[in-house]
Amino acid sequence: MIEKVLFTGRTHTSGGHDGITRSSDGFLDIRLPEPHPAAEQLFGAAWSACYIGAIGVAAAERKIALPADLAVDAQIELARNGGGFFLRARLDVSLPGIDRAVARELADAAHGICPYSKAVHGNIDVATNIL
């Protein structure tokens, strides 16, 4: 049951060799040449942005101040095996000045908060590294 919709993202994508994707608000306007590497890049950007927000929520719940230069590098791989195509992901989390064990706790907690992490849980292989 949904209490409240916080945001709805709308995009229109057309394919082919000169594919494009545009958001309804004009914020995104991206060419998608074949193959479409932008799909993995966009997914990585969206997930890592959400995940940073989730780390912030986890830190606030624990009353931990986060560094201004926290960062998440996402690597999304499109792979193939005999059964077809699949995704694999790696999130490299940088929390300078935060104890490594605390950083691991925040990173793990963020997966339970971030909607992207929830969506892929059990569906793709995800490695989360603390840098």
Side-chain angles (χ1 to χ4, degrees):
M1 185 89 138
I2 295 176
E3 251 180 59
K4 179 180 181 182
V5 174
L6 301 175
F7 181 79
T8 300
R10 290 186 175 87
T11 59
H12 174 80
T13 303
S14 60
H17 292 292
D18 295 319
I20 57 165
T21 191
R22 290 187 178 107
S23 61
S24 60
D25 63 2
F27 185 75
L28 291 176
D29 187 354
I30 300 170
R31 294 201 171 279
L32 299 172
E34 286 190 9
H36 300 295
E40 287 73 31
Q41 293 165 340
L42 288 168
F43 183 65
W47 188 2
S48 59
C50 178
Y51 190 71
I52 280 180
I55 290 172
V57 170
E61 289 172 350
R62 292 161 177 77
K63 297 181 179 17
I64 297 171
L66 291 176
D69 55 349
L70 77 132
V72 175
D73 293 321
Q75 178 175 310
I76 309 298
E77 296 176 337
L78 174 62
R80 185 175 185 162
N81 64 16
F85 298 96
F86 64 96
L87 295 175
R88 185 168 63 179
R90 185 177 79 214
L91 301 178
D92 292 332
V93 180
S94 176
L95 292 164
I98 301 289
D99 176 79
R100 190 169 187 78
V102 173
R104 169 55 61 193
E105 178 186 337
L106 293 174
D108 291 345
H111 280 300
I113 297 167
C114 173
Y116 287 85
S117 293
K118 290 178 183 181
V120 302
H121 181 74
N123 296 311
I124 69 172
D125 181 35
V126 179
T128 306
N129 303 309
I130 305 300
L131 303 179

